[in-house]
Amino acid sequence: MEHYWQEISALTMRWVRRLSREKFSMLFTLVQPMLFWLIFFGNLFQRAADTQVMQAPNYISFLAAGVVIMTVLNNGLAGGVDLLFDKENGFLERLMSTPIHRTSVILSRFIFVMAITSMQVLVILGVSYLFGVHPATGILGVATILLIGMMFGVGLTAISMAMAFSVKSHGDFFSVLGFLSLPMIFLSSALVPLTAMPGWMSFLAQFNPMTWAIDAVRPLILSGWTEALPHVGMVILVMLVFDALCLYGGAKAFRRAMG
Amino acid sequence: MDRTIAINVNRLCKTYDSHKAVDDLSFSIYAGEIFGLLGPNGAGKSTTLRTLITLLHPTSGTATVMGHDTVREADTVRTLIGYVPQERAIDRFLTGREHLQLLGALYHLTTDEATKRINELLKLVDLEDHADRPAKTYSGGMKRKLDIACGLLPNPKILFLDEPTLGLDVQSRLRIWEYVRMLKARGMTVVMTTNYLDEADQLCDRLAIIDGGKIKTLGSPVELKIALGGDIVSLTLKELDRIPSLETELKGRPAIKSVRTTTKGLDIRVESPEKALPAILEATNRLGCSIEFIQYNRPRLDDVFIAHTGRAITESIPETESAS
Ligand SMILES: Nc1ncnc2c1ncn2[C@@H]1O[C@H](COP(=O)(O)OP(=O)(O)O)[C@@H](O)[C@H]1O
Ligand SMILES: [Mg+2]
């Protein structure tokens, strides 16, 4: 157990070091493009969006929940990239030839991705606050938002790692990634509520775990606990199933790749 | 000779899809020797090595390291070995010291132990002055040295080196050979792969020539060369008409294996030059042949390779880059 902890903290420290060495990438990790979605989209569509349809005082407060979960999506789906590079340049092999627990590398990656994601979510909620979006459920609500984000993020990171371990080249990885993320966003309630979507889109969006996450985060920001609680309960169930499926797939891919 | 066996490989096969990368290998490696796997790209060297270091499960067959099965007792095996992968397995953003510190934690060393060992290793591979620079500023040779330091950090009983000098300049290659010899002198067992004939010849105590996933021959470089049928003494004679009589004179003598006429003289295959040369000179004297030119060739490892695989190592068609 003590060994396990020693391994995981050293491996997590490596991810932190790598990030801190890449000054540029560190800057863009904190001030990420998602923030522009919030600021530009949020303000741009202020007039175009119908607050009646949105069920929100303004578009930016509607969009905040979507941007939070989109951040989780992007981070999660990209969470396996560094392992992909480690696999390709042999570093992973070097790590796995040491007497570490077989799960240490993966766990360290989860911890790192979750920590970064949480920070970004907090930055987004902070910036929203500056634009007058004050979470209706307070600090506890913010904690719940983080919890939902983490639960969604774990599954996504597992998918990303599974892909990293299975693809033949990193070209494949990035094409699948690009292919996956946009439909995930548009076929969800991130930008418009399901009720405002064409029928076929809202039908598909119901099966998107992202929709469930956003539908729980949004009332936590806009309405209050009574409105939010049923959604929160539901999303926790959905995410448990989602995570279980993703982790199962990830474990399989990992075992196949690591002998 | 009674020697401790460090590694035993028994009927090892590894199949990718339907392609047999390693096909029924059996061999042993003795404790304290430098053992080489020599073969062209795609021969199955890395696959064999990865099996031994527990990263691949054999399709069939077994391998043991210091008596421990590489599949069932993988954890024990991992504590006994150090590994230097074929690729420069370096994180460009970490410094040399940070690489070693990370591995120190993965081998569960205490901070004090690790610090002490890291300083020793940095000194050994001559990276003390560069230890705190990110690895992306290192030259190819420096990266390889760091690689080797990483492999040595656990103070392993057996060190595995996959193509340790691939793509290095002559100077760096010689340095690496020096390290390997020094490790052997310290009692470490070294298992390495290479596709350089001179490296295998000069560095390895014993080697296996491997091609198409199969072992073609195994032995010490000297044994392998001798097994080819001895050294060749080529004579060029001044008087060409004396060639046939000299040939009959030499044929059947104890130290001489075969005699073949060439356009200007004779090619004589000998068992050992020490015994054969006096006999040859004595015969030419007795017959009054004057020698224009005498040349003595030991078979080189190139000849051994060609004899066992049917082609030169450089003629091999490399497999796809990514798979090598
Ligand atoms: N992961 C893999 N998947 C499929 N084929 C592989 C894989 N690794 C190696 N091979 C194939 O196995 C053969 C042996 O490869 P390898 O052991 O890397 O050779 P070497 O190290 O001698 O160059 C090659 O034909 C290679 O294409
Ligand atoms: Mg190889």
Side-chain angles (χ1 to χ4, degrees), chain A residues 29-192:
Chain A
T29 304
L30 291 176
V31 189
Q32 4 90 42
M34 275 300 111
L35 223 44
F36 298 133
W37 279 71
L38 186 73
I39 296 168
F40 295 126
F41 254 64
N43 288 306
L44 189 66
F45 283 82
Q46 182 53 42
R47 301 281 299 280
D50 185 337
T51 46
Q52 216 47 39
V53 176
M54 297 300 150
Q55 304 268 309
N58 48 35
Y59 188 61
I60 196 165
S61 60
F62 173 85
L63 191 64
V67 172
V68 164
I69 296 301
M70 276 153 72
T71 304
V72 174
L73 177 80
N74 284 349
N75 274 309
L77 287 182
V81 176
D82 289 63
L83 287 181
L84 177 68
F85 289 132
D86 274 1
K87 184 184 90 169
E88 288 188 340
N89 75 15
F91 204 85
L92 187 63
E93 210 168 57
R94 155 161 286 149
L95 297 179
M96 296 310 277
S97 74
T98 68
I100 55 173
H101 195 274
R102 299 295 95 182
T103 56
S104 293
V105 175
I106 292 179
L107 214 60
S108 74
R109 191 69 203 161
F110 273 117
I111 293 172
F112 177 74
V113 173
M114 292 308 122
I116 294 291
T117 308
S118 303
M119 270 160 52
Q120 294 185 348
V121 167
L122 291 176
V123 169
I124 285 175
L125 291 176
V127 173
S128 310
Y129 195 90
L130 297 180
F131 282 100
V133 184
H134 301 177
T137 47
I139 293 289
L140 199 59
V142 171
T144 313
I145 292 172
L146 283 179
L147 175 75
I148 294 168
M150 295 304 95
M151 288 187 81
F152 188 37
V154 164
L156 292 166
T157 310
I159 294 179
S160 177
M161 289 186 194
M163 256 165 49
F165 289 123
S166 322
V167 290
K168 290 264 177 289
S169 75
H170 63 253
D172 292 358
F173 182 92
F174 288 109
S175 355
V176 176
L177 209 68
F179 187 81
L180 222 67
S181 70
L182 272 188
M184 283 281 277
I185 291 171
F186 285 107
L187 292 176
S188 80
S189 50
L191 307 176
V192 289

Side-chain angles (χ1 to χ4, degrees), chain B residues 107-119:
Chain B
Y107 283 103
H108 314 123
L109 303 183
T110 63
T111 319
D112 289 347
E113 263 179 309
T115 311
K116 188 161 157 277
R117 224 180 266 179
I118 288 168
N119 288 334

Side-chain angles (χ1 to χ4, degrees), chain A residues 3 6-7 10-11 14 17-18 21-22 88-91 93-100 102 258-259, chain B residues 50 55 57 78-79 83 85 87-91 93 98-99 102-103 105-109 147 150:
Chain A
H3 282 176
Q6 188 182 14
E7 294 158 10
L11 289 164
R14 170 178 169 230
R17 283 216 173 105
R18 274 177 69 102
R21 297 286 147 79
E22 293 175 278
E88 288 188 340
N89 75 15
F91 204 85
E93 210 168 57
R94 155 161 286 149
L95 297 179
M96 296 310 277
S97 74
T98 68
I100 55 173
R102 299 295 95 182
M258 290 287 109
Chain B
R50 285 194 184 111
L55 290 184
H57 287 189
R78 287 182 198 122
T79 60
Y83 172 48
E87 300 89 1
R88 304 287 135 79
I90 297 286
D91 184 332
F93 295 106
E98 284 165 349
H99 276 84
L102 172 64
L103 285 166
L106 302 187
Y107 283 103
H108 314 123
L109 303 183
D147 256 342
C150 288

